Amino acid sequence: MSTTPTRRTVAVMALIPAVVALALWAFAWPAARIAPREVPIGIAGPASATAQLEERFEQREGAFDVHRYDDEAAARTAVEDRVVYGAVVLTDRGPHLLTASAASPVVAQLLKEAVTSQAPAGTPVPVTDVVPTPAGDPRGGALGASILPLALAGVAAGAVVTLLRLRGARAVAALVGASVLAGITAAVLADSWLGVLTGSWWAEAGVLALTVLATSAGVAGLGALMGTPGVALGGLLMVLIGNPFSGAASAPELLPEPAGALGRLLPPGAGATTLRSVAYFDGSAAGASVLTLSLWAVLGLAVVLAGARRGGRPAAATEHREATPVPVG
């Protein structure tokens, strides 16, 4: 009696708990360890007045990256340009906190609590939200929730192209076309209908499309190299790692390492950063994340084209051929 069915049963029994463990680690671990880690903040005012406040922030070792500014105007510009998440301006009437809830509602609340706790007892701390979340998404949750559908769309596109054995220019056309249509559809829903994105409509559609393309090209590229296992690996990388490590629901600087750093290098995290910059900050500080998305897209498409130029069968087709029994005689 063959032991193959028994081995498959055991493999399934072992695989499911492993996937559950991976999913819980990827999603629950960063959420349970949220804390400030080199969060860039600003302090403005005379050096004699800001020295003590800066020292208090630096006492929380590794929590904040303090930037000093001469006055409130410079600090406000830094917040608007996404150089810092917020800034404390020291005036004759006491501290004044500048935040940008559109950059991260979680960080904005964290800064409010930190500054309030350091102020003298009974001293009110006025807060100005320089770049607030849009009226359609007052708590900032919709943008974070949009990253998973984009990742799923990219994985689906890459998987379909691989499993249908599309090659060369046809594969590239399918990936680019699907990504463009997905980006336009997402912009219609998120901007035109829900109003959770408030930037340039076409820029938002472009970022959404590029995010899907970077994801799908990455998955299709792995599929061209490894066949079906490559698609599975790409799906795990984008959904189980890229989505929870993106920091879209909080901020990359709040995630434990290496989650924060790794998330920025994957399409979901880079897409979240770029979309936030384009939707709320006129594209400020989007350069690095756009470069990351572009590299994923270009390299993935290049691998797909290179696989076609080799003239051999795709890996998935080769696996299928080898698995097909050949009649004897």
Side-chain angles (χ1 to χ4, degrees), residues 130-200:
V130 178
V131 188
T133 53
D137 184 24
R139 297 184 180 180
L143 186 143
S146 67
I147 300 305
L148 179 57
L150 295 177
L152 291 175
V155 170
V160 169
V161 165
T162 302
L163 297 178
L164 291 181
R165 304 174 191 171
L166 297 178
R167 302 174 59 196
R170 291 184 178 180
V172 171
L175 292 171
V176 173
S179 299
V180 169
L181 292 176
I184 292 175
T185 301
V188 169
L189 294 174
D191 188 311
S192 304
W193 178 41
L194 295 176
V196 301
L197 302 178
T198 57
S200 167

Side-chain angles (χ1 to χ4, degrees), residues 281-312:
F281 295 89
D282 294 327
S284 297
S289 54
V290 169
L291 178 60
T292 300
L293 292 173
S294 301
L295 287 175
W296 274 97
V298 171
L299 292 177
L301 295 178
V303 171
V304 171
L305 287 173
R309 291 196 181 102
R310 283 199 301 265

